[in-house]
Amino acid sequence: MAAIFQGVGAAAALSSLPSNSFDSKNFLFSPRRSFSVRKAPSFVVVRSDGTMNLDLNPKGRRAQQFIANAVTTKEDSSAASSFSKPGNELLLFEALREGLEEEMERDPRVCVMGEDVGHYGGSYKVTKGLAKKFGDLRVLDTPIAENSFTGMGIGAAMTGLRPVVEGMNMGFLLLAFNQISNNCGMLHYTSGGQFTIPIVIRGPGGVGRQLGAEHSQRLESYFQSIPGIQMVACSTPYNAKGLMKAAIRSENPVILFEHVLLYNLKERIPDEDYICNLEEAEMVRPGEHVTILTYSRMRYHVMQAAKTLVNKGYDPEVIDIRSLKPFDLYTIGNSVKKTHRVLIVEECMRTGGIGASLTAAITENFHDYLDAPIICLSSQDVPTPYAGTLEEWTVVQPAQIVAAVEQLCQ
Amino acid sequence: MSLSHHHLNTNILPTLSATIPTPFPLVFSAPIVSFLSFIFYSPLSLPSSPPIFSPFPSSLPTRKKMATAFSPSKFAAQPFPLNTTSQNNPLTIPTTASPFLGSTRKLIRLSSSSNLNIRRRSGTVVAVSDVVKENKSKSTLNLLITKEEGLELYEDMVLGRAFEDMCAQMYYRGKMFGFVHLYNGQEAISTGFIKLLKQQDSVVSTYRDHVHALSKGVSARAVMSELFGKTTGCCRGQGGSMHMFSREHNVLGGFAFIGEGIPVATGAAFTSKYKREVLKEADCDHVTLAFFGDGTCNNGQFFECLNMAALWKLPIVFVVENNLWAIGMSHLRATSDPQIYKKGPAFGMPGVHVNGMDVLKVREVAKEAIGRARRGEGPTLVECETYRFRGHSLADPDELRDPAEKAHYAARDPITALKKYLIENSLASEADLKAIDKKIDEVVEEAVEFADESPVPPRSQLLENVFADPKGFGIGPDGQYRCEDPKFTEGTAQV
């Protein structure tokens, strides 16, 4: 099943993402305190060479999703799909909407607030049709007052609702920084645990197609220090829906980062109810030589570079970290211990970005396992220029990734 | 207010008065008259002044007839200022029916009756003129409160005062630290409003929140322990003076930055509306009160929330505790149009000005405003003129404020006024009130003892309550969730 990747120029990254054997996707949390008993599902790994392994996680505590390597265009997904019921094929924004809709049906306290989410259907159509279905109060069109309606969402969350606040563009949430940092992150603590804030704040961010500096911001680096919040970034329709649902069900405030250029990704996702664990990373392509950590749109640049690398004889292991705060140091650590080389590819700025934090975390925890210094490829520390050529050079391109891997593996 | 302005900023006066646009030129030039208005006005003279506003004459309840405390005859050209704009024409704000609500809201019809002498702020309640016309007759028989109510109000105000005084003592003895903002002098607002609420109604406050919490029902022990930073405090010692929360009593904080509580209050009101209309809990009529100061009224969040609350007719009352000073910034120096209540109609809600040193007046206004919200008629902006007897915080030397101004307001102490009212109207005797005083002293003493004896938070509490679901700390290198790490519960884990 080829994922049709639209909108990233001619060099479309073909990463086919077969439906995962989703009987392993029983990540439905046991209630808060008693998570010591986790299922150890057995699932099938379809490897790039077409062989299949039955992989039981030895610890029996966590399941890892293995998406079969599909940098090659081999239709090995057919093998995987025979293990799953036919899902439905949809685009990423539709997956988000499906997740949101299902959660709104499931729990009447879930509501959406944001600019143009109601009658307009959302500036990226994530909430299309929801206002008609659920009414104007559940899908609330707000005036242009980010700070206040985010605060309103927080107040509503404290008093029993489960709002999903949409920033039309993540950059606009800079105006809501006061509420996100002071109230969203801190009120559970300063109230001594009396009030929970089960809010989801989501929106598209990242560098788009010549959108200009203010509309091309990566807020994950600004928000990452705020205590009390979780941040996740989705990258495929599958994990978009899963993360959306998990975020809504979570009792913690969660910021879900979507990417402007990924909304038209197509994938076949399962019909069944599933969620993606908020704290776990996703193994995109297992490998041996080097660990490449990435998230959001850069995943596709990495997968494209991986094609080239495979042809050159390298075997990169690609992990989509997905959880930007906190980091899944288990998945990452296991990978580092296996490959001993780490490359981080991100869209954040060089200074103080997610990559910077990740570099520090890996160095702190896995220093002994590293054979080479960590290379972190980030966007340039410049306001994103309008000109297409300049914009291209601010973000990391596959050629740079290939070069970095070659350098690492010397 | 103009009094202080006059004394303090004489060198600025000429410039200002030249540049102040109508309708406000005369405030600064007529301080004497305003001062007189304060003097002639005796706070709780009976019967109290006419009610309040009622923008919809039809909803004017069968009010007791009350006369003005100072009838217009005392001030020659002193009709009641209206909560209107400066124009002399009746303004009918066009209805902007929000399609979302599907209803046509009738907004305030601004009346033009008499000369709109809005240049002066009187000490009385602002009333829409329709209402004013009705209530000229004097009546000496109708009291505003019963004995029980009177004693309840008195006790609450005395508790607030005694508690805050004790806080000051404890602070200077080194039992509490940081920023502590005391409420002395403003008790009438807290008592006047919050004592009308039910338990399920919510209160949102600022950093000057001890007394709001006490009025809402949080025990003095819990608040004092919180101030001492003990684990028995209402927020387990994690919040402190500026973060008084109580789930049980629906006190939603306690916010350190001004203005950031107002959206939270708007959200609580939104939940109330949502519960009624979406979740179909038909009897959900919870009201939210948002308290904040004059400085906050220049902040964007204030205006944004006024807009949203009026737009969706949220059951909320915005209570401005205008004590004229934002630390050292006089309200007049910071605000282009210092009449905050006028900003309500700009957003489509009634704006009322009330004498915040008079608990009975505040209570009357509060009844109307809370009633409006409960009936689903939308928000109200209430500006309470008040004063804080102490500095902004215990660290504030309070040198800027004019002693004469302080003395003037000290003479209008709300507790003294209520006491006088109760005694003069034979609602209570001196002995009753003394008994209450004594009782409150004991309560406060006991609270201090309790706080003193309570344990400080153990190290294990450090990492608790950061997340509602502690899995949010993530998965550690060993594959376990960090919160499962035993060091986590000890508070020594590195997260």
Side-chain angles (χ1 to χ4, degrees), chain B residues 294 297 302 320 322 331 338-344 381 383:
Chain B
D294 44 288
C297 295
F302 168 65
V320 183
N322 184 352
H331 176 56
Q339 292 182 321
I340 300 171
Y341 65 92
K342 280 167 46 177
K343 301 181 187 184
L381 176 66
E383 180 187 355

Side-chain angles (χ1 to χ4, degrees), chain B residues 67-340:
Chain B
T68 65
F70 55 98
S71 61
S73 58
K74 280 192 185 162
F75 298 93
Q78 178 79 303
F80 295 96
L82 300 172
N83 53 339
T84 68
T85 66
S86 57
Q87 300 166 29
N88 281 327
N89 305 315
L91 270 185
T92 315
I93 299 176
T95 313
T96 48
S98 152
F100 149 75
L101 292 171
S103 64
T104 49
R105 289 174 307 156
K106 245 195 337 176
L107 297 170
I108 310 165
R109 264 195 74 241
L110 306 178
S111 172
S112 68
S113 72
S114 37
N115 23 359
L116 287 155
N117 199 349
I118 33 89
R119 62 184 175 88
R120 226 177 306 265
R121 273 174 51 172
S122 79
T124 62
V125 171
V126 171
V128 173
S129 65
D130 288 347
V131 173
V132 167
K133 279 189 224 136
E134 282 189 43
N135 299 289
K136 291 284 167 68
S137 61
K138 282 194 199 290
S139 163
T140 49
L141 293 179
N142 292 321
L143 300 177
L144 283 172
I145 48 173
T146 64
K147 173 175 182 172
E148 289 73 34
E149 288 170 351
L151 292 179
E152 186 195 1
L153 298 180
Y154 183 78
E155 182 171 335
D156 194 53
M157 290 208 286
V158 169
L159 173 60
R161 181 69 59 89
F163 189 91
E164 298 291 72
D165 284 339
M166 183 59 80
C167 280
Q169 265 194 56
M170 293 296 115
Y171 188 85
Y172 294 127
R173 278 196 213 167
K175 298 284 186 67
M176 59 176 88
F177 299 93
F179 293 128
V180 179
H181 308 85
L182 299 181
Y183 202 71
N184 299 49
Q186 300 181 196
E187 296 87 357
I189 302 175
S190 179
T191 302
F193 269 93
I194 299 180
K195 282 303 169 194
L196 292 170
L197 294 180
K198 305 187 291 202
Q199 173 143 18
Q200 300 89 354
D201 295 325
S202 302
V203 164
V204 174
S205 178
T206 60
Y207 43 73
R208 208 179 293 282
D209 56 349
H210 308 166
V211 181
H212 293 135
L214 291 170
S215 292
K216 192 68 172 56
V218 183
S219 70
R221 301 171 131 201
V223 182
M224 192 60 85
S225 294
E226 183 63 31
L227 292 170
F228 282 30
K230 300 294 177 78
T231 195
T232 47
C234 55
C235 301
R236 308 180 77 201
Q238 289 169 186
S241 166
M242 300 187 280
H243 301 98
M244 291 294 164
F245 286 83
S246 168
R247 170 136 234 148
E248 188 193 337
H249 298 283
N250 288 301
V251 178
L252 301 179
F255 292 91
F257 287 16
I258 60 159
E260 69 179 1
I262 307 179
V264 173
T266 311
F270 179 81
T271 302
S272 173
K273 186 181 172 83
Y274 189 97
K275 280 185 179 159
R276 188 171 51 238
E277 296 186 11
V278 175
L279 301 179
K280 307 292 183 208
E281 294 171 22
D283 55 351
C284 181
D285 60 353
H286 305 330
V287 168
T288 306
L289 298 186
F291 292 92
F292 46 92
D294 44 288
T296 308
C297 295
N298 294 324
N299 189 286
Q301 286 169 105
F302 168 65
F303 298 110
E304 289 173 2
C305 290
L306 284 187
N307 178 43
M308 293 198 291
L311 182 64
W312 299 316
K313 278 208 196 160
L314 301 180
I316 184 172
V317 182
F318 296 101
V319 184
V320 183
E321 297 170 323
N322 184 352
N323 57 22
L324 308 175
W325 290 89
I327 307 189
M329 191 64 168
S330 151
H331 176 56
L332 299 171
R333 289 185 66 221
T335 318
S336 57
D337 185 348
Q339 292 182 321
I340 300 171

Side-chain angles (χ1 to χ4, degrees), chain A residues 29-33 35-36 38 59 61-62 108-111 113 119 136-138 140-161 178-179 182-183 185 187-197 227-230 250-253 277 279-280 325-330 334 337 364-366, chain B residues 99-101 202 226 234-236 238-240 243 245-248 250-255 257-275 277-279 299-302 304-305 307-308 311-312 314 461-484 494:
Chain A
F29 299 121
S30 34
R32 235 171 289 168
R33 303 273 173 265
F35 37 68
S36 47
R38 303 279 302 279
K59 286 229 171 184
R61 311 208 75 201
R62 297 174 53 238
R109 298 169 301 163
V110 179
C111 55
M113 303 177 183
H119 294 190
D136 278 341
L137 202 54
R138 277 192 86 181
L140 187 71
D141 278 322
T142 61
I144 305 175
E146 277 80 6
N147 202 13
S148 293
F149 71 69
T150 306
M152 193 172 97
I154 292 167
M158 285 167 76
T159 42
L161 300 187
N178 180 6
Q179 293 290 338
N182 285 348
N183 288 350
L187 282 189
H188 185 72
Y189 194 79
T190 54
S191 67
Q194 292 180 82
F195 290 98
T196 57
I197 306 175
I229 57 161
Q230 283 186 253
S250 169
E251 294 300 316
N252 297 334
N277 196 333
E279 295 92 24
E280 281 183 12
K325 177 183 162 81
F327 294 132
D328 177 4
L329 288 180
Y330 182 64
N334 285 350
K337 289 174 189 173
E364 243 173 48
N365 287 290
F366 308 113
Chain B
F100 149 75
L101 292 171
S202 302
E226 183 63 31
C234 55
C235 301
R236 308 180 77 201
Q238 289 169 186
H243 301 98
F245 286 83
S246 168
R247 170 136 234 148
E248 188 193 337
N250 288 301
V251 178
L252 301 179
F255 292 91
F257 287 16
I258 60 159
E260 69 179 1
I262 307 179
V264 173
T266 311
F270 179 81
T271 302
S272 173
K273 186 181 172 83
Y274 189 97
K275 280 185 179 159
E277 296 186 11
V278 175
L279 301 179
N299 189 286
Q301 286 169 105
F302 168 65
E304 289 173 2
C305 290
N307 178 43
M308 293 198 291
L311 182 64
W312 299 316
L314 301 180
Q461 202 181 304
L462 178 64
L463 301 171
E464 291 172 15
N465 305 133
V466 178
F467 287 104
D469 178 359
K471 295 217 291 283
F473 279 116
I475 301 169
D478 57 357
Q480 276 192 322
Y481 274 94
R482 286 187 201 272
C483 49
E484 294 168 358
Q494 183 65 40

